[in-house]
Amino acid sequence: MSQSWRKDSLYRDGSLNWGRLTLYAILIFVAIVWGTPFIWMFVTSIKPDNEVFRYPPTWWPNEPTLLFYTRLFESFPMMAWFRNSLIVAVITTTLTLVTNVLAGYPLARMRFRGRTIVLLIILSTFLLPGEILLVPLFLGMVKFKLANTFFSIAVPAAANAFGLFLMTQFFRTIPVELEEAGRLDGCSRLGLLWRIFIPLSGPAIATVAIFTFVRSWNDFFWPLVISNTDATRTVPVGLAIFVGAGLSIRFGVLMASAAAATIPAVIFFLMLQRYFVRGISTTGLRG
Amino acid sequence: MSSLAKTLDKPAEAGWASIRNDLIAYAFMAPYLFLFIVFLLLPAFVGVYASFTKWGIIGDPKWVGFRNYDKLINSELFLESLQNTLYFVILAAIPLIVLGFLLALLVNQKLRGRNIARAIVFLPHVVSVAAVGIVFQWILERSSGLLNYYLGLLGVNPPINWLGEPESAMPAIAITTIWWTVNGNMIIYLAGLQDIPEELYESARIDGASSWQLTRHITIPMLLPINAFVIPLTVIACWRVFGQVFVMTRGGPQGSTFTVAQFIYETAFVNFNMGVASAAGVILMLIPLSFTVVQLRAMKVI
Amino acid sequence: MRKVLSVILLMLLLSGAATAQDAVTVTLMHGWTGADNTEMLNTVFDRFNSENEDGIVIEPTALGWDDLFTQLTLTAATGNPPDVVMFHNTEVTEFVRKGVLLPVDDLMAATGIDLTGVPENVIELSMIDGEFYCLPGDLHPMNLYYNVDLVEAAGLDPDSPPTTGAEFMAWAEAMTITDDDGMVTQYGVDQPLGGSIGRWFFHTLLYQFGGSWLGEDGLSAVDSEAAHQALQYLVDLQASGVSSQGSGVGDISSFQNERAGMVLVGPWMVNSYVREGKNIGTAVMPTFGNVPATWTNTHCLALTVQESDANYLNSMNVVKWFLENYAEPGIKVGIVPVLPVALADPFWTDHEFAQYYAPFVESLAISVMEPAIEKYTSVFAFGGQSPILRNIEAAQAGDKSVEEALADMKAGIDELLLDE
């Protein structure tokens, strides 16, 4: 990637490059527009009740307070909700990765009977509105005495087909020659997957992990229906109770809970993000 | 790009070898297929079956044939929700696609700080819909909201009652949705941009092409196949809009943001009419099906 | 990747394990969500758990109201509902018809619950076919709040708040301030377009003008002259320019923001306004129509039908204790207890907020509830399907004439009522 001249420079041949300048201006504008809601969320969350509605809006409270956060952690089992969410997200993500890597291989590389049908059925579930699955799933879980367990919250989410689709597309981009070389060395299919496909799929695996983890972390309706004690309740469900429904809208409380729910997912994303664009970039979405 | 035929194995010979090959393939897929069948396919079939029944959750379903579908087609409320959803698709899908593309172009430029900009634009993706909804409820708030304050400084007076007027509520939901999800499309376009071989640009530059010409004659044509993927996916996601609406307006004012997904949710979990709700779910699935067929063909998956 | 895993591991270690419980537990599902309410209720439940020597432990579950109805139906469908549920009297009929609730006359006698002194209409609503299915705990009528500072700034007397529609309008006009550009900078009243507050105000006006929701035939009666007058008043109020027209999703932020002089809402806002440092006053709902009336609802406690009757008596003891100790939740949630023993509790009578609650107690006599019909949660829903909210909003916004809106409202309600 070494360049003989610096492409990001504002100057070219000694004079100001107006095109560049405009691009920088747009870039800064975009960053402000997308960043402001986060900042506003945080600033509001540390405002005491009597400062929230101050007009014109202030970008820093006179008396910043962490009251809403301390209440969240002291009066509510916030750590238990965090732990539950984490357990659920880890189960879902692990299960998704293992099953998708395994299933993605034959779908990408093998010719077998029923391949088209299987793909078609799996992909068509992208269209399924989740709402109609809720009640049958709930009744099934209760029937097998699984309601209110981590199993019931975490496992159904691993049936989502998005990760499988991504893995399949990614595996298709791995050069056939590598696989054939491996086969000449006497590798079994499982060996090929383990020694060739998985090591080359870091970015795709990271991408599926991020998508799955974030979706699981933010899932609301299913955990709400299936779990009803603090022993299994996840962060979004717990926070819905903390926030409350009703007319007494308190934006400080709302913003503190939104921030508290968001931060772990942000951290998870930032840790994995350097793999992220690469993961999508090589999944061969261009067909 | 290797075509499908090249990436797949050669056709297996007939007989035992071919059966063995099939068995291996299904053995690999077995863990996923188990999850898929038990937690997605079976409940979905129960849902489709329920759409032909009268079922209040308490008690057993009673077969009623096509009566639920008949009811829906004649229900003003349902047709209105279809109309509102279509309006949302038009309002949100086009900016999501165009802006997603433009943002990808922007953060693909060799600019200092582009990685930070990328991360900032992508961040909303990890925020839950409930958090997005309440944060934007606050930003769009009529009398003390941030947006109206700055619009006021720009001379927009009187302040817009974003979520309180039927005319502005759906655009407000669309703005929120764009902020929240445009990054998905941006990332996909960005990935496409990075797949364009640098040599194409180099040789064009040597021929003296301007950067606009590069964009016009290389970038856009090279990204066309991605549109076949992004457009249907965006449209389908917009058809299913629910969370933002549910948190921010509950379908109001005057039902102007009442969408099909909310119709399904309320019919199922407020009125406990699982039959009608499931039928609406089936319809919600069938409408964008045409888009998916186009999508799958474009991706050459089938 | 290793970094990710180690962080996850650390968080798992830090968070510790859940504790198991062996005592007799009574599960109680309620809809008082929100930081303040949940905290407060937890202190009440903790008190019960420590005071009670029978070894009964309350295990509460808080859910938003809509989610509570969903969960109650789902858990009842699978034979595993919570022992005790707390919701509103208006929903009792619906869940009795679904077979979810238990008749409790015998248990009331066994535990010695005494309802003497509870308003007659509330007791009636708690009984179906001559049997008690729930026990009322409180009422929360809608009344008038005003911002004393703004009232004084407008040259009005905060000690004599409006009692009639004309006085109300005079106050609203006096407190509406328009700047040089014709922009309204302060509203007289913070009345949102539609929404729950719109519905409750319409209900209030409907009964003040002598109307009601249902007719003799069991179908909607909102095509009446009274309904016409009620909706016309709401429309005129919006048109007069003294009203803020917030959005229907509980948007009464203008009053919260001290940019509106008055608001009509239930007692549960007292705590939040006072805590925010507002100088407020409260008064009984003015009479806009022919007779005094105001919207109210109750919270009540009911027992669910269980597979075994082993826990019924324990559950009823919990209910009894809760009703008799209603003063603390009452004052902190912002609701008015109905049991005389709770109303006489020093916690209620001596509380610094008692002055704000006085008009709410006074208004119990004129309070009217929505009909507790079998389809209550459908007809009186807060979501987008509600024919009531949609048509009130449409009329207020001028998209439908009052006649059209009421005709459509009746058609919508009747359709829900007739749907078997």
Side-chain angles (χ1 to χ4, degrees):
Chain A
M1 284 305 270
S2 72
Q3 297 286 349
S4 50
W5 76 94
R6 299 200 41 166
K7 280 186 168 178
D8 60 1
S9 171
L10 265 180
Y11 294 90
R12 194 161 62 184
D13 309 330
S15 64
L16 197 59
N17 182 342
W18 284 101
R20 294 263 109 194
L21 194 67
T22 316
L23 282 180
Y24 272 112
I26 298 174
L27 193 72
I28 290 167
F29 178 75
V30 164
I32 290 174
V33 168
W34 262 267
T36 303
F38 285 98
I39 298 167
W40 190 232
M41 168 174 84
F42 177 72
V43 170
T44 308
S45 76
I46 56 167
K47 284 184 179 176
D49 275 328
N50 58 9
E51 285 196 52
V52 168
F53 281 106
R54 194 157 287 175
Y55 197 84
T58 53
W59 280 98
W60 195 254
N62 289 337
E63 292 168 46
T65 170
L66 290 176
L67 179 71
F68 300 131
Y69 292 95
T70 52
R71 284 177 70 183
L72 193 51
F73 282 90
E74 278 170 12
S75 311
F76 290 79
M78 188 67 186
M79 285 314 284
W81 297 341
F82 265 125
R83 184 204 58 203
N84 298 342
S85 272
L86 204 60
I87 292 173
V88 167
V90 168
I91 295 176
T92 306
T93 309
T94 314
L95 203 56
T96 301
L97 287 178
V98 171
T99 57
N100 290 356
V101 165
L102 282 174
Y105 174 72
L107 286 171
R109 286 312 179 89
M110 292 174 73
R111 199 179 286 267
F112 57 90
R113 264 163 282 201
R115 182 179 170 279
T116 313
I117 298 285
V118 168
L119 255 181
L120 206 65
I121 292 175
I122 290 174
L123 289 183
S124 68
T125 57
F126 278 174
L127 290 168
L128 217 60
E131 293 83 20
I132 68 169
L133 302 178
L134 234 53
V135 168
L137 262 182
F138 174 84
L139 297 177
M141 288 293 179
V142 172
K143 189 158 190 169
F144 290 100
K145 302 241 179 289
L146 288 167
N148 229 353
T149 60
F150 288 125
F151 177 92
S152 65
I153 309 174
V155 175
N160 188 295
F162 187 76
L164 177 60
F165 171 73
L166 224 93
M167 286 314 301
T168 306
Q169 293 294 95
F170 189 86
F171 283 164
R172 282 176 51 195
T173 66
I174 290 176
V176 183
E177 296 74 30
L178 278 178
E179 196 184 355
E180 276 163 1
R183 259 207 253 182
L184 287 177
D185 291 346
C187 255
S188 68
R189 297 242 182 223
L190 210 55
L192 289 175
L193 187 62
W194 184 250
R195 292 209 200 120
I196 296 171
F197 283 80
I198 292 179
L200 288 174
S201 306
I205 291 173
T207 306
V208 174
I210 289 179
F211 274 124
T212 312
F213 186 94
V214 166
R215 198 180 48 230
S216 164
W217 187 267
N218 289 334
D219 196 11
F220 179 67
F221 280 109
W222 175 243
L224 174 75
V225 169
I226 197 69
S227 87
N228 49 32
T229 65
D230 284 326
T232 54
R233 204 171 253 165
T234 58
V235 173
V237 181
L239 285 181
I241 291 154
F242 176 72
V243 164
L247 295 166
S248 175
I249 293 186
R250 296 178 63 199
F251 283 108
V253 174
L254 290 172
M255 296 303 126
S257 66
T262 303
I263 288 164
V266 169
I267 292 173
F268 189 79
F269 165 70
L270 291 179
M271 284 197 294
L272 288 183
Q273 67 127 1
R274 64 200 169 99
Y275 299 105
F276 188 59
V277 174
R278 265 200 291 153
I280 296 214
S281 143
T282 31
T283 46
L285 293 172
R286 299 197 294 154
Chain B
M1 283 294 120
S2 37
S3 75
L4 182 61
K6 258 196 268 170
T7 59
L8 280 183
D9 285 351
K10 293 177 191 68
E13 311 91 78
W16 170 238
S18 121
I19 293 173
R20 185 168 174 274
N21 181 63
D22 286 1
L23 283 178
I24 291 174
Y26 281 98
F28 270 97
M29 292 190 299
Y32 178 75
L33 286 181
F34 173 78
L35 292 177
F36 179 77
I37 291 169
V38 173
F39 297 112
L40 240 168
L41 216 51
L42 271 179
F45 274 118
V46 174
V48 173
Y49 167 75
S51 77
F52 296 102
T53 66
K54 181 169 170 47
W55 186 25
I57 298 186
I58 293 182
D60 292 323
K62 207 174 75 201
W63 185 265
V64 294
F66 278 92
R67 216 178 72 192
N68 293 329
Y69 291 90
D70 192 54
K71 235 185 206 169
L72 281 177
I73 294 168
N74 293 311
S75 155
E76 223 173 280
L77 202 63
F78 182 68
L79 296 179
E80 199 186 303
S81 75
L82 275 178
Q83 205 181 327
N84 289 338
T85 313
L86 182 66
Y87 180 48
F88 176 79
V89 170
I90 294 166
L91 273 183
I94 295 169
L96 280 173
I97 293 160
V98 175
L99 204 62
F101 173 69
L102 293 177
L103 282 172
L105 274 186
L106 180 72
V107 298
N108 196 42
Q109 297 289 324
K110 297 207 164 41
L111 300 171
R112 251 173 283 182
R114 67 169 181 181
N115 282 334
I116 298 172
R118 254 183 226 180
I120 291 176
V121 177
F122 192 77
L123 263 192
H125 190 94
V126 306
V127 185
S128 72
V129 66
V132 170
I134 56 179
V135 170
F136 271 78
Q137 228 180 350
W138 175 216
I139 288 174
L140 295 167
E141 209 270 336
R142 165 183 48 112
S143 59
S144 332
L146 207 54
L147 185 62
N148 273 350
Y149 173 70
Y150 287 109
L151 286 179
L153 294 187
L154 293 175
V156 179
N157 253 331
I160 302 167
N161 191 356
W162 287 102
L163 299 173
E165 298 281 348
E167 294 77 25
S168 57
M170 199 59 111
I173 303 274
I175 290 172
T176 308
T177 309
I178 292 164
W179 180 86
W180 186 36
T181 62
V182 72
N183 42 44
N185 289 348
M186 177 190 83
I187 290 285
I188 293 171
Y189 279 119
L190 190 59
L193 286 173
Q194 299 192 340
D195 276 355
I196 300 175
E198 186 61 22
E199 303 86 64
L200 279 180
Y201 291 110
E202 292 297 330
S203 55
R205 270 200 210 98
I206 291 166
D207 294 344
S210 70
S211 54
W212 163 244
Q213 282 170 320
L214 292 180
T215 308
R216 171 77 187 74
H217 294 290
I218 298 178
T219 312
I220 292 179
M222 289 293 284
L223 286 182
L224 275 183
I226 290 193
N227 285 337
F229 174 83
V230 168
I231 294 171
L233 227 60
T234 309
V235 170
I236 290 172
C238 288
W239 266 105
R240 292 170 53 174
V241 59
F242 176 53
Q244 306 93 297
V245 177
F246 192 70
V247 175
M248 292 170 70
T249 62
R250 279 267 161 142
Q254 295 173 56
S256 61
T257 58
F258 185 63
T259 63
V260 182
Q262 195 185 348
F263 178 91
I264 296 174
Y265 175 79
E266 287 186 6
T267 309
F269 296 112
V270 179
N271 297 349
F272 293 106
N273 197 335
M274 285 313 293
V276 174
S278 301
V282 171
I283 293 177
L284 180 60
M285 199 165 109
L286 290 178
I287 289 175
L289 191 67
S290 51
F291 286 106
T292 309
V293 172
V294 173
Q295 168 201 356
L296 293 183
R297 301 216 145 225
M299 290 188 299
K300 300 192 178 78
V301 178
I302 49 170
Chain C
M1 245 353 218
R2 201 168 301 148
K3 213 167 25 168
V4 181
L5 287 176
S6 52
V7 170
I8 288 171
L9 206 68
L10 193 70
M11 285 177 75
L12 284 175
L13 287 173
L14 283 176
S15 55
T19 50
Q21 290 174 331
D22 310 324
V24 180
T25 56
V26 170
T27 51
L28 185 151
M29 193 186 269
H30 64 86
W32 284 342
T33 55
D36 308 322
N37 293 344
T38 317
E39 267 176 359
M40 180 280 310
L41 275 176
N42 285 346
T43 61
V44 173
F45 293 138
D46 287 348
R47 208 171 84 214
F48 175 88
N49 292 346
S50 63
E51 274 177 19
N52 200 291
E53 58 275 3
D54 300 343
I56 303 173
V57 172
I58 301 180
E59 197 182 290
T61 300
L63 286 169
W65 290 115
D66 286 355
D67 299 328
L68 184 144
F69 304 141
T70 306
Q71 269 279 347
L72 184 58
T73 307
L74 286 175
T75 50
T78 52
N80 188 31
D83 292 309
V84 181
V85 58
M86 192 189 68
F87 47 10
H88 312 98
N89 265 96
T90 42
E91 292 118 27
V92 171
T93 314
E94 181 166 344
F95 284 98
V96 169
R97 296 290 176 237
K98 280 181 176 170
V100 176
L101 302 185
L102 185 76
V104 290
D105 295 64
D106 297 344
L107 289 165
M108 281 169 69
T111 51
I113 288 184
D114 182 11
L115 291 181
T116 317
V118 173
E120 201 55 41
N121 57 340
V122 179
I123 290 192
E124 268 169 38
L125 275 170
S126 306
M127 299 175 78
I128 287 163
D129 302 335
E131 285 184 293
F132 274 98
Y133 278 90
C134 77
L135 294 154
D138 67 79
L139 282 160
H140 38 275
M142 186 183 200
N143 283 298
L144 174 70
Y145 290 74
Y146 52 92
N147 186 315
V148 173
D149 297 339
L150 301 186
V151 167
E152 283 172 346
L156 302 164
D157 177 13
D159 293 328
S160 53
T163 57
T164 67
E167 286 170 21
F168 178 80
M169 190 51 88
W171 268 42
E173 279 166 2
M175 284 191 281
T176 303
I177 299 175
T178 310
D179 70 9
D180 300 338
D181 304 329
M183 276 274 300
V184 179
T185 55
Q186 180 181 305
Y187 293 99
V189 54
D190 195 4
Q191 181 63 35
L193 284 170
S196 45
I197 294 184
R199 181 181 99 199
W200 298 332
F201 193 26
F202 175 72
H203 168 95
T204 299
L205 293 167
L206 179 65
Y207 284 86
Q208 287 196 356
F209 284 109
S212 66
W213 285 104
L214 299 175
E216 300 274 306
D217 55 0
L219 292 176
S220 165
V222 293
D223 50 352
S224 66
E225 179 56 29
H228 191 283
Q229 285 172 304
L231 190 54
Q232 189 67 51
Y233 186 87
L234 275 179
V235 171
D236 292 345
L237 182 64
Q238 295 301 345
S240 66
V242 299
S243 163
S244 64
Q245 314 192 353
S247 74
V249 190
D251 181 0
I252 44 174
S253 58
S254 291
F255 187 81
Q256 197 148 20
N257 201 4
E258 310 211 44
R259 297 178 79 202
M262 296 183 283
V263 69
L264 296 163
V265 69
W268 56 83
M269 293 305 290
V270 166
N271 282 296
S272 125
Y273 290 154
V274 175
R275 188 178 43 230
E276 285 160 21
K278 281 184 242 315
N279 186 7
I280 57 157
T282 53
V284 173
M285 173 68 78
T287 306
F288 300 88
N290 314 321
V291 285
T294 193
W295 173 89
T296 194
N297 207 339
T298 69
H299 288 112
C300 65
L301 291 133
L303 265 57
T304 59
V305 177
Q306 299 283 330
E307 276 162 9
S308 121
D309 59 6
N311 223 6
Y312 284 158
L313 197 62
N314 292 333
S315 305
M316 202 58 183
N317 275 317
V318 167
V319 170
K320 179 174 188 244
W321 183 90
F322 198 73
L323 289 178
E324 288 170 356
N325 289 276
Y326 219 89
E328 188 179 353
I331 213 119
K332 290 193 177 164
V333 172
I335 42 181
V336 183
V338 288
L339 226 56
V341 56
L343 269 178
D345 191 325
F347 199 94
W348 175 267
T349 50
D350 301 348
H351 198 275
E352 52 176 328
F353 291 176
Q355 50 158 324
Y356 301 113
Y357 288 112
F360 290 90
V361 179
E362 193 187 330
S363 72
L364 293 188
I366 61 163
S367 294
V368 187
M369 289 176 60
E370 287 158 345
I373 47 175
E374 195 181 335
K375 291 283 176 58
Y376 180 81
T377 57
S378 306
V379 172
F380 291 92
F382 290 118
Q385 297 206 15
S386 162
I388 298 172
L389 299 192
R390 293 163 81 97
N391 287 298
I392 291 176
E393 287 167 18
Q396 284 182 321
D399 292 353
K400 283 184 189 173
S401 71
V402 169
E403 288 80 9
E404 275 176 299
L406 288 174
D408 291 352
M409 191 191 293
K410 176 171 166 55
I413 296 174
D414 287 348
E415 194 188 328
L416 286 169
L417 289 174
L418 292 171
D419 185 46
E420 13 50 278

